[in-house]
């Protein structure tokens, strides 16, 4: 329950309140002109409810009025795409899922590359979800939400990884193995060449006298 206290000192004064409950409910108008209203800002779906108004006058003539039946607040809204994703199933297949909200509840339509008609729809309160099963074709998938107050669209792109064939995998394995063998042979050749060069270098720089003494 929200309670406001309105004070007016003359017939020309508007209703002045120092309170704005949660920055959402405001009392506006002039009770001396039989005009007093509650204004609700920042509406959400949870505000759809039945509201009752009770007015009490203080002073010499104490009186009160109350609406016994109340008034029903019904929100309407154009569609809005809340979420659109692509996911995988346990059997390694792929699915697209689109969730939208609006009032009246919007209808959802998937468009895009060729696909099966396997879809499922679930709804809760002001939200509706449509799932597209077993995606098989690459491309852009568009979800369209429509109701009597407008339309909204969202899109996702699906590209499935295509595994290479077994023969291509074997060829790539042999190529990689051949490259490794070639690199190993090059390294061995460099090592042999380097050792042979060092031996010739040492032999060339041994003094002849030292070599002669060794022979004698």
């Amino acid at each position: 329950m929200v309670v406001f206290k309105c004070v007016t000192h003359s017939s020309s004064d508007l209703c002045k309140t120092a309170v704005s409950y949660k920055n959402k409910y405001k009392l506006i108008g002039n009770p001396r002109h039989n005009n007093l209203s509650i204004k609700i800002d920042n509406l959400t779906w949870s505000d759809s409810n039945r509201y009752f108004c009770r007015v009490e006058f203080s002073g010499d003539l104490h009186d009160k009025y109350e609406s016994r039946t109340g008034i029903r607040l019904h929100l309407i809204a154009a569609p809005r795409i809340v979420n659109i994703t692509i996911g995988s199933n346990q059997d390694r297949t792929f699915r697209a899922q689109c969730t939208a909200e609006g009032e009246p509840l919007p209808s959802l339509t998937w468009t895009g590359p060729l696909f099966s008609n396997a879809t499922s729809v679930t709804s809760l309160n002001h939200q509706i979800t449509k799932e597209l099963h077993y995606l098989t074709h690459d491309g852009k998938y568009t979800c369209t939400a429509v109701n009597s107050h407008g339309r909204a669209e969202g899109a996702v792109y699906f590209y499935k990884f295509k595994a290479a064939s077994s023969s291509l995998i074997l060829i790539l394995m042999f190529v990689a193995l051949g490259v490794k063998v070639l690199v190993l042979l090059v390294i061995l050749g460099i090592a042999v060449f380097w050792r042979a060069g060092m031996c010739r270098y040492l032999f060339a720089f041994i003094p002849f006298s030292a070599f002669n003494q060794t022979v004698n």
Side-chain angles (χ1 to χ4, degrees):
M1 182 175 65
V2 181
V3 178
F4 289 99
K5 184 178 180 181
C6 175
V7 179
T8 59
H9 298 286
S10 65
S11 60
S12 61
D13 288 342
L14 296 177
C15 184
K16 297 179 180 179
T17 60
V19 179
S20 176
Y21 185 74
K22 293 184 178 180
N23 199 29
K24 187 177 183 71
Y25 302 96
K26 296 179 181 179
L27 186 65
I28 59 176
N30 189 337
R32 295 183 182 274
H33 295 166
N34 298 323
N35 179 13
L36 200 61
S37 303
I38 295 290
K39 181 182 179 182
I40 306 176
D41 293 324
N42 305 318
L43 288 172
T44 62
W45 295 118
S46 60
D47 292 320
S48 294
N49 211 329
R50 185 173 296 276
Y51 291 83
F52 297 86
C53 182
R54 177 186 176 94
V55 179
E56 294 186 6
F57 292 94
S58 60
D60 297 335
L61 181 61
H62 187 80
D63 203 355
K64 60 183 178 181
Y65 302 92
E66 181 177 354
S67 60
R68 297 187 179 277
T69 58
I71 183 171
R72 177 74 181 181
L73 176 62
H74 179 70
L75 298 183
I76 58 175
R80 182 175 72 93
I81 302 295
V82 177
N83 188 35
I84 180 169
T85 57
I86 288 181
S88 59
N89 302 311
Q90 293 182 352
D91 57 356
R92 296 184 180 180
T93 58
F94 295 90
R95 68 183 187 275
Q97 183 173 290
C98 177
T99 301
E101 66 178 8
E103 182 62 33
L105 197 66
S107 61
L108 295 183
T109 304
W110 278 105
T111 56
L114 296 175
F115 52 79
S116 66
N117 293 326
T119 59
S120 60
V121 179
T122 58
S123 61
L124 178 64
N125 297 329
H126 305 280
Q127 287 192 352
I128 182 171
T129 299
K130 189 169 187 177
E131 188 171 302
L132 182 63
H133 304 286
Y134 308 117
L135 301 182
T136 56
H137 292 77
D138 295 348
K140 178 182 178 181
Y141 290 82
T142 302
C143 174
T144 304
V146 179
N147 70 4
S148 57
H149 300 287
R151 59 182 287 147
E153 286 187 354
V156 288
Y157 292 86
F158 172 70
Y159 294 99
K160 186 177 180 181
F161 174 76
K162 297 179 176 60
S165 61
S166 58
S167 59
L168 180 59
I169 293 176
L170 289 176
I171 293 174
L172 293 176
M173 291 177 60
F174 282 120
V175 169
L177 182 61
V179 171
K180 291 181 179 180
V181 172
L182 181 61
V183 171
L184 181 60
L185 291 176
V186 171
I187 294 175
L188 290 176
I190 293 174
V192 171
F193 178 79
W194 182 80
R195 287 187 177 183
M198 287 298 296
C199 290
R200 288 196 299 270
Y201 177 79
L202 292 174
F203 181 79
F205 281 89
I206 294 176
F208 179 77
S209 58
F211 179 76
N212 189 27
Q213 291 176 3
T214 303
V215 173
N216 293 333

